[in-house]
């Protein structure tokens, strides 16, 4: 819902079971469903290949934009800028509480960029956006609900450690 104002929404889905493709299509998104899961970086690059706009904002399914960030992004893409990409401060929650310490705050993430000027690394986990050009900084928050329960934390640690071992 926090990105429905965008000119184009691209969703790449690999086997969700919660009606994600149908919900996204109902909201006007271009949806590609794939049978495989190549990892976070390659999956995000699949979405980049589908995007046609001048600017791309990459948002994960557990993230959303504040109204202030929506306004700031609209202003950035409407005006000339020397930057190829922008970092956004991210506020992450852990089991229902937003973290303000432990390296989780302000957690700047590179997510807004000119099409053709950045690409995601091919890492299976902890992918990063690699920008070709200068990087600016936005001031309003990208919200992130990282974990809702301890069970979810343990499940994610298990998946990420296995993927990390596979990468090594």
């Amino acid at each position: 819902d926090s990105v429905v104002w965008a000119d184009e929404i691209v969703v790449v889905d690999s086997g969700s079971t919660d009606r994600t493709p149908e919900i996204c299509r109902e909201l006007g998104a271009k949806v590609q469903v794939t049978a495989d899961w190549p990892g976070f970086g390659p999956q995000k690059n699949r979405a980049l290949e589908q995007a046609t706009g001048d600017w791309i904002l990459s948002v994960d399914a557990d993230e959303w934009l504040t109204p202030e960030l929506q306004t700031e992004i609209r202003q950035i893409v409407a005006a000339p800028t020397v930057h190829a990409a922008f970092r956004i401060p991210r506020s992450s929650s852990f089991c229902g509480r937003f973290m303000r310490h432990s390296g989780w705050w302000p957690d700047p993430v590179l997510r807004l960029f000119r099409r053709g000027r950045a690409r995601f690394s091919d890492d299976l986990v902890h992918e990063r956006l690699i920008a070709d050009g200068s990087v600016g900084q936005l001031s309003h928050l990208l919200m992130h609900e990282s974990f809702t329960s301890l069970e979810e934390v343990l499940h994610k640690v298990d998946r990420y450690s296995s993927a990390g071992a596979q990468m090594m």
Side-chain angles (χ1 to χ4, degrees), residues 8-145:
E8 176 183 47
I9 300 172
V10 175
V11 175
V12 179
D13 184 274
S14 290
S16 65
T17 58
D18 60 0
R19 295 190 56 250
T20 293
E22 295 82 10
I23 293 167
C24 292
R25 284 187 187 106
E26 290 168 8
L27 293 171
K30 181 190 326 182
V31 178
Q32 176 188 18
V33 177
T34 62
D36 66 328
W37 171 251
F40 289 99
Q43 184 79 334
K44 288 183 178 186
N45 285 328
R46 285 176 171 171
L48 292 184
E49 292 167 6
Q50 302 292 317
T52 62
D54 294 334
W55 283 91
I56 295 173
L57 172 66
S58 178
V59 180
D60 292 343
D62 60 357
E63 297 173 332
W64 68 95
L65 284 65
T66 61
E68 297 82 8
L69 179 58
Q70 293 173 30
T71 299
E72 186 175 20
I73 289 172
R74 287 185 192 137
Q75 291 170 346
I76 290 290
V77 302
T81 180
V82 299
H83 299 300
F86 288 87
R87 283 188 183 83
I88 303 171
R90 182 171 64 173
S91 180
S92 295
S93 69
F94 183 86
C95 298
R97 297 193 63 177
F98 283 95
M99 306 304 287
R100 297 283 184 204
H101 49 77
S102 303
W104 282 43
W105 173 256
D107 189 24
V109 290
L110 191 57
R111 294 294 186 78
L112 178 65
F113 54 97
R114 292 183 186 275
R115 185 167 56 90
R117 300 288 306 273
R119 189 153 182 81
F120 286 95
S121 66
D122 288 328
D123 299 322
L124 297 176
V125 293
H126 301 301
E127 77 290 345
R128 65 195 183 290
L129 189 64
I130 303 163
D132 178 21
S134 65
V135 175
Q137 176 73 38
L138 299 185
S139 58
H140 293 95
L141 295 177
L142 175 66
M143 306 304 290
H144 179 218
E145 186 173 9

